[in-house]
Amino acid sequence: MTRHCDHLLDYYNQHLNESDKAAFEKHLENCSDCREALRELHGLNEFLPYASEPIDPPEGLEERVFANIEQHDRDAGPFRKEKPRRRWLFPSAAAVLALSLLGNAYLFTQIQKEEETEEQAVIDQVTQYVELAAVTGDAKGTASIIKQGEQSSLVVQASQLKDLTKDEVYQVWLIKDEKPRRAGTFVTGKDGKGSVVFKMNEEFAREDWDTVAITLEPDANSQLPEGDIVLASEI
């Protein structure tokens, strides 16, 4: 990796001055790795969070995130195995996306809390990230499992959802061996978008879930899926 490769994230987020921007764009002409990483980042734009107020991350956060990613690579070694059909983002050029995901409203909330109380846990890693496939309709969505210290949370975001009527809600489910467990409920705004953050207790965190799904439920009281599956994906 050259010195210019270190400027990829700043270039993507438009944080470079004109001189450094010109130098990086010249570097892009000869660096296929940076071009591919930049293409992936732009391709994932539509799946990033839909609304957030930008803030400056705490000093040293970038270094801590990348150090965690690099340590993960060293621990895993060259012979690590992955479950088939899982769609991981780490590690790869998408490691850079870990920092772009700081735009996520949930993550920025955690950063703000860290600024207020330095003793609070810092963001460690996005351990899983999948794109949810539409089962009915044209909805789009993503699901992430974010580990922050000892706390793991499921973050689900969706767009192009149909309008709700009366008591209808969208319900998130984590599924193992065809047995679903409730993992958050949300309603949409006028723009057809919605999201939920589900803090996973020890029971949820230690399970090896095989599927995440979103259903359209008649109300918020469903203990098992009653409505149609809208989005789903293996994890």
Side-chain angles (χ1 to χ4, degrees):
M1 178 178 287
T2 70
R3 177 178 63 84
H4 289 295
C5 292
D6 295 336
H7 293 163
L8 174 61
L9 183 61
D10 288 332
Y11 178 80
Y12 174 72
N13 287 324
Q14 301 181 14
H15 291 164
L16 296 179
N17 59 37
E18 290 301 319
S19 176
D20 288 340
K21 178 180 178 183
F24 184 79
E25 289 177 344
K26 185 174 181 61
H27 163 76
L28 277 177
E29 297 175 4
N30 300 307
C31 182
S32 59
D33 288 340
C34 282
R35 290 198 302 271
E36 176 63 18
L38 196 61
R39 184 192 66 78
E40 290 184 20
L41 290 172
H42 285 301
L44 286 166
N45 272 342
E46 62 180 294
F47 299 111
L48 292 180
Y50 307 118
S52 64
E53 292 295 330
I55 64 172
D56 293 328
E59 182 178 354
L61 180 62
E62 177 176 337
E63 289 79 3
R64 292 199 298 276
V65 174
F66 272 119
N68 185 282
I69 293 166
E70 292 167 0
Q71 184 62 48
H72 174 81
D73 286 347
R74 289 193 293 270
D75 293 343
F79 303 108
R80 65 179 180 272
K81 295 182 179 179
E82 296 181 355
K83 292 176 66 175
R85 299 181 65 186
R86 275 187 173 171
R87 307 180 66 181
W88 303 99
L89 284 187
F90 287 86
S92 68
V96 179
L97 183 62
L99 298 177
S100 260
L101 282 172
L102 297 179
N104 183 297
Y106 166 72
L107 297 182
F108 268 131
T109 298
Q110 305 309 312
I111 294 171
Q112 288 173 315
K113 289 180 179 179
E114 182 186 47
E115 288 180 330
E116 295 169 359
T117 308
E118 293 182 357
E119 296 301 320
Q120 290 184 348
V122 298
I123 298 167
D124 290 330
Q125 59 181 328
V126 179
T127 60
Q128 291 179 248
Y129 179 96
V130 294
E131 299 169 13
L132 301 176
V135 178
T136 57
D138 300 318
K140 297 181 179 181
T142 64
S144 308
I145 294 182
I146 299 174
K147 188 174 182 181
Q148 182 186 17
E150 296 300 319
Q151 175 66 59
S152 292
S153 299
L154 173 68
V155 181
V156 174
Q157 300 167 321
S159 63
Q160 299 184 30
L161 294 165
K162 64 172 289 187
D163 292 338
L164 299 173
T165 60
K166 295 183 179 178
D167 298 326
E168 286 183 333
V169 298
Y170 286 101
Q171 177 68 50
V172 179
W173 307 89
L174 284 170
I175 303 170
K176 180 180 179 181
D177 299 330
E178 299 185 357
K179 296 179 180 179
R181 295 286 301 275
R182 288 166 55 99
T185 303
F186 67 92
V187 296
T188 56
K190 294 181 180 179
D191 54 4
K193 297 175 182 177
S195 63
V196 66
V197 176
F198 177 72
K199 290 187 177 293
M200 304 169 73
N201 60 25
E202 291 184 7
E203 177 187 0
F204 273 85
R206 67 171 174 260
E207 288 287 0
D208 189 16
W209 304 102
D210 52 58
T211 305
V212 59
I214 299 175
T215 61
L216 175 59
E217 297 295 321
D219 55 50
N221 301 317
S222 302
Q223 297 303 310
L224 292 173
E226 299 177 11
D228 294 332
I229 298 176
V230 179
L231 291 160
S233 176
E234 292 183 350
I235 57 174

